[in-house]
């Protein structure tokens, strides 16, 4: 049993009867949603085709707790899909919305049927196996969304920012696609919570609860881990860097040290100096290509360091020195020079903050793959992609865009790999290089401190 959380962390880890009522289990939530779906399907099946079209027109203008279903989405849906959309959008509240719409249509008989059914004991309707599976899938998606929304809303603004970063790198380590940075950096709390939950459910499905538990473990929010464990199936094993690629393990250690060094140095900047730092940073070539100006306008010092290290790896230290020189902060330039050339303070994974460890992981993967692919000629990059497409087809994985073979920008190729395959990009790259008989490059991925001189030309 988890220990009681601190007052700032919320309630005690010991579950009470009141808490169980307040936080029903995921199974209970799914059953409730399934009953709502069956009730609406049973009621709306009596609408004529003309009435259904009228129903959808009114529905498209109805707001569901700040959201609505656009007409273009409803236009081609049948009654079943319309019900699914309603429940996914607003859960149990869909029953009340349906009543309101039916009243405007003068279908008081159906309004009464909904009122009788929703207040009395539920009668199980027999549905075919295929429909039953669909109902269960939609009910599960909505139940998971509600569970996660409730839990994430218990986070402070600072914790929500930390969750945002940890979410990106947790899905990455699970070989899932990365989330758009432009979406993750939204400033409105309500929008951010809703967007993260929507994207987790879309990408991870039922696994979203497990992903959230893992992040809460990293944040030491054991009270929220316990709540999710009690309402779902409990925390699962954590995903770590694959020890099959020792070069990657070494690269993660390097990137983590770089992050810690930059965070320690830049924390001494005043608010005004930090704004100046962001202005100069936004004018550098490497940032201008990757980070829109508005990203930097809303990021704090930690976010800036994370973005820099992801893009430029160890080069971030030199770029930071250049910026600090223009700001006449020679004391910080000297501190960076002394720290980067001296012995590194070693941290074990257990004692390093999980957030830094995960940011370092994605930065390490990007840097390692970029160094590896930089040794391929343009012609070899085309072959690389051909082999890659063949391998991902065999594994039933999504394909990356073929237009990448037309450019010599290896960074774009690597970014597309990461966005599509997550941490699995390393394994896929290794398989492709093996098929290409590039044993020298395989060695770069497989052995620490293994490197090659120079870059191939066409």
């Amino acid at each position: 049993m988890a220990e009681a959380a601190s007052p700032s962390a919320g309630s005690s880890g010991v579950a009470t009867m009141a808490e169980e009522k307040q936080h029903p289990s995921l199974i209970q939530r799914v059953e409730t949603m399934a009953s709502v779906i069956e009730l609406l399907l049973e009621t709306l099946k009596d609408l004529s085709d003309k009435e259904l079209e009228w129903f959808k027109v009114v529905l498209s203008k109805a707001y569901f707790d700040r959201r609505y279903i656009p007409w273009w989405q409803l236009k081609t849906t049948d009654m079943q899909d319309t019900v699914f959309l309603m429940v996914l959008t607003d859960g149990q509240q869909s029953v009340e919305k349906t009543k309101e719409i039916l009243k405007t249509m003068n279908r008081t008989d159906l309004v009464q049927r909904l009122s009788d059914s929703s207040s009395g004991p539920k009668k199980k309707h027999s549905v075919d196996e295929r429909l039953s599976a669909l109902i269960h899938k939609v009910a599960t998606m909505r139940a998971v969304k509600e569970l996660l929304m409730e839990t994430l809303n218990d986070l402070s603004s600072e914790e929500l920012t930390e969750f945002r970063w940890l979410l990106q790198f947790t899905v990455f380590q699970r070989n899932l696609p990365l989330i758009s940075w432009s979406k993750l950096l939204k400033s409105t709390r309500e929008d951010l919570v809703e967007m993260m939950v929507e994207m987790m459910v879309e990408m991870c499905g039922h696994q979203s609860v497990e992903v959230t538990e893992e992040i809460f473990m990293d944040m030491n929010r054991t009270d929220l881990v316990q709540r999710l464990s009690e309402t779902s199936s409990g925390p699962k094993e954590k995903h770590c860097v694959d020890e099959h690629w020792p070069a990657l393990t070494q690269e993660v250690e390097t990137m983590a040290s770089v992050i810690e060094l930059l965070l320690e140095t830049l924390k001494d900047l005043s608010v005004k100096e930090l704004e100046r730092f962001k202005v100069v940073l936004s004018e550098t070539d490497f940032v201008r290509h990757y980070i829109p100006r508005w990203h930097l306008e809303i990021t704090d010092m930690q976010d800036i360091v994370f973005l820099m290290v992801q893009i430029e790896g160890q080069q971030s230290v030199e770029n930071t020195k250049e910026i600090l020189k223009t700001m006449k902060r020679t004391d910080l330039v000297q501190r960076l020079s002394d720290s980067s050339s001296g012995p590194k303070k070693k941290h074990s994974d257990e004692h390093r903050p999980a957030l830094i460890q995960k940011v370092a992981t994605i930065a390490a993967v990007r840097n390692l793959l970029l160094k590896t692919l930089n040794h391929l000629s343009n012609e070899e990059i085309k072959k690389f992609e051909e082999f890659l497409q063949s391998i991902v087809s065999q594994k039933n994985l999504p394909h990356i865009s073929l237009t990448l073979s037309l450019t010599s920008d290896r960074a774009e190729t690597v970014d597309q790999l990461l966005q599509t395959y997550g941490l699995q990009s390393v394994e896929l790259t290794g398989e492709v290089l093996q098929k290409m008989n590039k044993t020298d490059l395989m060695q770069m991925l497989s052995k620490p401190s293994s490197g090659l001189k120079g870059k191939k030309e066409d």
Side-chain angles (χ1 to χ4, degrees):
M1 182 178 293
E3 295 178 0
S6 63
S8 63
S11 61
S12 165
V14 180
T16 64
M17 290 299 291
E19 282 178 314
E20 288 176 6
K21 287 183 179 179
Q22 187 180 356
H23 304 294
S25 73
L26 185 57
I27 293 174
Q28 290 172 321
R29 291 171 189 264
V30 172
E31 288 177 350
T32 300
M33 290 304 159
S35 295
V36 168
I37 294 171
E38 289 175 3
L39 173 59
L40 292 176
L41 289 176
E42 184 65 21
T43 303
L44 298 185
K45 73 178 184 181
D46 287 344
L47 293 180
S48 66
D49 290 343
K50 188 175 181 179
E51 285 176 322
L52 179 59
E53 289 307 307
W54 184 6
F55 182 92
K56 291 195 293 183
V57 169
V58 181
L59 176 62
S60 69
K61 298 174 183 177
Y63 278 82
F64 290 77
D65 188 26
R66 295 174 53 251
R67 298 182 60 196
Y68 67 96
I69 305 174
W71 172 245
W72 64 263
Q73 202 170 358
L74 287 166
K75 193 173 181 181
T76 58
T77 58
D78 57 15
M79 186 270 291
Q80 178 180 291
D81 287 345
T82 300
V83 168
F84 289 165
L85 280 172
M86 289 176 67
V87 174
L88 283 173
T89 304
D90 217 36
Q92 288 179 265
Q93 191 60 29
S94 304
V95 176
E96 293 306 313
K97 285 291 180 189
T98 300
K99 286 183 187 177
E100 291 175 20
I101 296 172
L102 291 173
K103 284 177 186 175
T104 69
M105 298 171 61
N106 295 320
R107 285 303 303 262
T108 53
D109 57 325
L110 299 185
V111 174
Q112 189 60 47
R113 187 189 301 176
L114 278 178
S115 298
D116 295 342
S117 301
S118 56
S119 59
K122 306 294 185 293
K123 183 182 75 173
K124 279 289 187 182
H125 300 282
S126 58
V127 293
D128 65 67
E129 192 174 322
R130 178 182 167 278
L131 178 56
S132 179
L134 274 174
I135 290 173
H136 186 268
K137 182 178 180 181
V138 174
T140 300
M141 286 180 67
R142 178 61 203 184
V144 168
K145 282 184 183 180
E146 286 190 359
L147 176 61
L148 295 181
M149 287 286 287
E150 283 179 16
T151 313
L152 262 60
N153 276 324
D154 280 350
L155 297 177
S156 66
S157 296
E158 185 179 24
E159 287 173 324
L160 194 60
T161 298
E162 184 178 1
F163 186 95
R164 178 195 68 189
W165 280 102
L166 285 168
L167 171 62
Q168 181 74 299
F169 302 107
T170 301
V171 300
F172 172 78
Q173 287 185 298
R174 289 170 174 269
N175 304 322
L176 296 166
L178 290 181
I179 301 170
S180 165
W181 289 115
S182 61
K183 292 180 180 177
L184 272 181
L185 291 171
K186 282 186 175 180
S187 56
T188 306
R189 175 190 173 91
E190 202 168 12
D191 287 344
L192 181 59
V193 170
E194 187 174 347
M195 180 275 299
M196 288 195 297
V197 170
E198 289 281 349
M199 299 198 78
M200 279 197 290
V201 174
E202 181 182 342
M203 292 189 308
C204 312
H206 188 279
Q207 215 181 354
S208 304
V209 179
E210 186 181 318
V211 168
T212 304
E213 286 176 352
E214 182 176 331
I215 296 173
F216 286 153
M217 286 293 289
D218 290 335
M219 296 172 65
N220 294 319
R221 284 301 304 263
T222 53
D223 56 320
L224 297 183
V225 173
Q226 184 165 352
R227 184 199 298 179
L228 285 178
S229 298
E230 289 164 351
T231 57
S232 60
S233 55
K236 307 298 186 297
E237 74 280 0
K238 298 189 69 168
H239 293 244
C240 303
V241 175
D242 191 344
E243 294 181 359
H244 180 63
W245 306 103
L248 177 57
T249 303
Q250 184 186 64
E251 196 76 33
V252 171
E253 180 63 38
T254 299
M255 292 302 163
S257 296
V258 168
I259 292 171
E260 289 170 339
L261 173 61
L262 292 177
L263 288 175
E264 182 65 23
T265 303
L266 297 183
K267 74 177 183 182
D268 287 344
L269 293 179
S270 66
V271 174
K272 188 175 180 179
E273 286 176 322
L274 180 59
E275 291 307 307
R276 173 61 180 158
F277 185 94
K278 290 196 286 187
V279 169
V280 180
L281 177 65
S282 68
E283 294 169 353
T284 60
D285 287 337
F286 86 93
V287 169
R288 193 161 52 233
H289 182 62
Y290 287 96
I291 307 177
R293 177 65 180 266
W294 68 267
H295 277 206
L296 291 175
E297 289 174 355
I298 64 173
T299 52
D300 58 16
M301 185 267 289
Q302 178 179 270
D303 286 354
I304 289 169
V305 169
F306 289 168
L307 288 169
M308 287 175 65
V309 175
Q310 282 181 80
I311 295 167
E312 282 288 279
Q314 288 178 268
Q315 186 61 31
S316 303
V317 176
E318 294 305 314
N319 288 329
T320 300
K321 285 183 189 176
E322 292 302 314
I323 296 173
L324 292 172
K325 283 177 186 175
T326 68
M327 295 172 60
K328 314 249 185 272
R329 284 301 305 261
T330 53
D331 56 325
L332 298 185
V333 174
Q334 189 60 47
R335 187 188 301 176
L336 279 178
S337 298
D338 294 343
S339 300
S340 57
S341 60
K344 303 294 185 297
K345 184 173 69 171
K346 284 285 183 180
H347 296 269
S348 66
D349 287 358
E350 291 78 14
H351 295 99
R352 174 175 286 129
L355 181 53
I356 290 178
Q357 191 69 20
K358 290 192 172 183
V359 174
T361 298
I362 192 171
V365 172
R366 186 180 189 275
N367 194 53
L368 184 60
L369 292 182
L370 190 54
K371 284 194 294 187
T372 305
L373 295 193
N374 271 337
H375 289 285
L376 296 178
S377 66
N378 289 345
E379 189 61 38
E380 286 173 327
I381 281 288
K382 293 178 183 177
K383 289 181 181 177
F384 178 93
E385 192 170 64
E386 288 172 8
F387 280 118
L388 176 66
Q389 302 293 33
S390 172
I391 290 171
V392 298
S393 291
Q394 293 170 7
K395 295 177 180 283
N396 292 319
L397 296 172
H399 286 237
I400 61 172
S401 172
L402 288 169
T403 58
L404 288 176
S405 61
L406 303 177
T407 177
S408 59
D409 189 349
R410 306 300 190 272
E412 286 186 36
T413 305
V414 169
D415 288 340
Q416 189 75 341
L417 279 168
L418 299 183
Q419 289 164 13
T420 309
Y421 308 118
L423 186 58
Q424 195 175 9
S425 302
V426 181
E427 179 187 340
L428 291 171
T429 299
E431 290 183 37
V432 173
L433 293 175
Q434 192 170 31
K435 284 185 175 292
M436 293 174 67
N437 293 319
K438 302 293 291 186
T439 53
D440 52 341
L441 298 187
M442 277 287 293
Q443 194 174 49
M444 281 189 70
L445 288 177
S446 303
K447 293 185 179 179
S449 303
S450 176
L452 297 172
K453 303 297 181 183
K455 175 181 172 181
K456 288 195 175 183
E457 303 293 340
D458 284 334

